[in-house]
Amino acid sequence: MFSETNTVDEKISYLDKKELQKKSEHEDDAEENESSLEFLNLLQIDSDSDRSQSFQQECERWCSRNVLRKQKHWEKIVTAKKSKRKQEKERRKAKNSENTDSDQQHSKRFLKVLTRERLLRAKDSGPQLCIDLSMTEHMTKKELGRLAAQIRRLYGSNKKAAKPFWLYLTGFKESSLLYAECVRMNDGFVNYLVDRTENSFLDLFPTNAIVYLTPDSENPLEDVDPHKVYVLGGLVDESIQKKLTYHKARENDLQTARLPIQEYMIKNINLKNFHSEILAINQVFDILSTYLEKRSWPEALKAGVSPGKGFILCDEAYKVI
């Protein structure tokens, strides 16, 4: 009897242990489930946190892009405004220039009148320059064309001069080939404010008032006297015969002079070893006109003697040395 009771108790105890063990296992499973849930929740939180951070970064990136876009848009507006202001400024400038041009066009008439008056005053009180055209009979058409061009340049320089000369074209026949070349090559030649005549300059002026400018003279020209008449031989380089103008002047007992090239210039070394004091008539005129205005032979010679003649001013030569 007692043994049976013990057996029953052992069974009950065994069952209780089993139940307790199962209960413990269930509790362990529950705890594992709770831990898993907590872990999943943590993962979810981390994921949500990452998403929020990425979203925030995306927002910031979008905002920065938006700011850049607005900034670029504003820069375009500023650039467009600057360009528009520049165009308006150029337009106003062009308009003002047109107005100035129109004023200048209106003033051209007055300028012509003033030039005419200045040239006519030179006829009465200014220095006088005569171009002797009596030696053109044996010149070729090419040489006559060059001489006609020189006459045009000389007249143009005289019109612009502050102190113009009164010009004479003597020994100038309207039936000559030179006259035809002058009319053909020089616009408005027949309206030039000059005295044209077939007569010789010897018939127009007293001999004591004439100074024949020739490169062969021994006398350097020291000054330009407004009471004298300066004569240039109407010749070009190809047709020059040695001392032709000098002999003509001496035959008529005329005073001669040469430009003071030797006094203010020296020969410049060049490959061709070329040096010539023979100048075109427009170059001689530029020298005389510049001297009359500035009263300086170095400045005058610099204005008329081209480097191709092989001479250089003494002061410039010393600077080079």
Side-chain angles (χ1 to χ4, degrees):
M1 183 72 179
F2 178 76
S3 60
E4 290 177 357
T5 303
N6 289 338
T7 303
V8 171
D9 292 334
E10 290 175 358
K11 288 181 178 180
I12 292 171
S13 176
Y14 177 77
L15 291 173
D16 289 335
K17 288 180 180 181
K18 283 282 186 181
E19 186 175 355
L20 289 172
Q21 187 177 1
K22 289 181 179 179
K23 187 175 180 181
S24 177
E25 290 176 357
H26 285 303
E27 288 178 355
D28 292 334
D29 293 336
E31 287 178 0
E32 288 181 1
N33 290 333
E34 287 178 0
S35 297
S36 299
L37 288 173
E38 288 178 0
F39 180 73
L40 291 174
N41 288 332
L42 289 173
L43 289 176
Q44 183 67 29
I45 291 170
D46 291 338
S47 177
D48 292 339
S49 177
D50 293 337
R51 288 179 182 175
S52 62
Q53 289 180 357
S54 62
F55 177 75
Q56 184 177 0
Q57 291 175 354
E58 186 66 26
C59 288
E60 290 177 355
R61 193 179 297 111
W62 182 84
C63 290
S64 61
R65 288 177 182 173
N66 191 30
V67 170
L68 288 174
R69 186 165 56 251
K70 288 183 178 180
Q71 185 177 356
K72 289 181 180 180
H73 179 65
W74 176 251
E75 288 176 353
K76 286 182 180 179
I77 293 174
V78 172
T79 303
K81 286 183 178 180
K82 287 183 179 179
S83 178
K84 187 175 181 181
R85 284 196 298 268
K86 185 177 180 181
Q87 290 177 356
E88 289 177 354
K89 186 177 180 180
E90 291 177 351
R91 196 179 298 113
R92 287 195 301 269
K93 187 176 180 180
K95 187 175 181 180
N96 293 333
S97 178
E98 290 176 359
N99 293 333
T100 303
D101 290 340
S102 63
D103 292 338
Q104 290 178 351
Q105 288 177 358
H106 291 303
S107 66
K108 282 181 180 179
R109 298 177 182 176
F110 299 102
L111 185 60
K112 287 182 179 180
V113 172
L114 292 176
T115 301
R116 181 182 178 85
E117 291 178 353
R118 192 168 67 251
L119 290 175
L120 291 175
R121 281 199 302 270
K123 184 175 184 179
D124 298 327
S125 58
Q128 301 176 81
L129 185 68
C130 174
I131 312 299
D132 179 15
L133 301 175
S134 63
M135 299 173 284
T136 61
E137 296 178 356
H138 303 290
M139 292 171 62
T140 65
K141 186 175 181 179
K142 178 183 177 181
E143 293 168 348
L144 292 173
R146 290 188 59 187
L147 181 57
Q150 292 176 15
I151 292 173
R152 180 185 69 244
R153 297 189 191 101
L154 189 155
Y155 182 74
S157 297
N158 193 47
K159 284 174 61 179
K160 297 175 183 178
K163 297 179 180 180
F165 285 73
W166 182 252
L167 302 178
Y168 294 86
L169 302 179
T170 61
F172 193 32
K173 299 179 181 179
E174 292 189 4
S175 60
S176 66
L177 184 57
L178 176 61
Y179 185 88
E181 284 295 294
C182 288
V183 173
R184 181 182 69 85
M185 296 179 61
N186 307 337
D187 293 337
F189 174 76
V190 294
N191 297 320
Y192 278 9
L193 288 176
V194 300
D195 276 337
R196 295 190 301 269
T197 177
E198 295 183 2
N199 297 327
S200 170
F201 63 91
L202 295 170
D203 300 328
L204 301 177
F205 312 107
T207 55
N208 60 352
I210 298 174
V211 179
Y212 209 116
L213 297 178
T214 169
D216 301 307
S217 175
E218 298 177 354
N219 309 312
L221 183 65
E222 297 179 356
D223 196 7
V224 176
D225 186 348
H227 303 293
K228 295 287 186 179
V229 179
Y230 295 93
V231 180
L232 299 178
L235 299 169
V236 294
D237 292 353
E238 289 92 340
S239 64
I240 289 179
Q241 299 178 23
K242 191 173 182 179
K243 295 188 176 182
L244 178 62
T245 53
Y246 178 75
H247 288 316
K248 182 174 182 178
R250 296 306 299 164
E251 288 173 1
N252 293 281
D253 296 325
L254 300 177
Q255 180 184 350
T256 63
R258 57 173 172 79
L259 295 173
I261 295 176
Q262 300 174 16
E263 285 67 28
Y264 294 93
M265 307 185 83
I266 60 175
K267 293 181 179 180
N268 190 25
I269 299 174
N270 55 74
L271 295 176
K272 296 181 180 180
N273 195 27
F274 175 78
H275 306 90
S276 176
E277 296 183 40
I278 300 172
L279 306 177
I281 58 172
N282 58 294
Q283 292 174 323
V284 176
F285 173 81
D286 288 340
I287 293 172
L288 297 175
S289 178
T290 303
Y291 175 79
L292 193 63
E293 180 181 354
K294 299 184 178 181
R295 313 303 294 185
S296 169
W297 281 119
E299 290 189 44
L301 293 169
K302 187 176 182 178
V305 181
S306 63
K309 293 297 180 179
F311 286 90
I312 187 173
L313 289 173
C314 296
D315 293 341
E316 293 182 357
Y318 295 146
K319 288 179 182 179
V320 172
I321 296 174

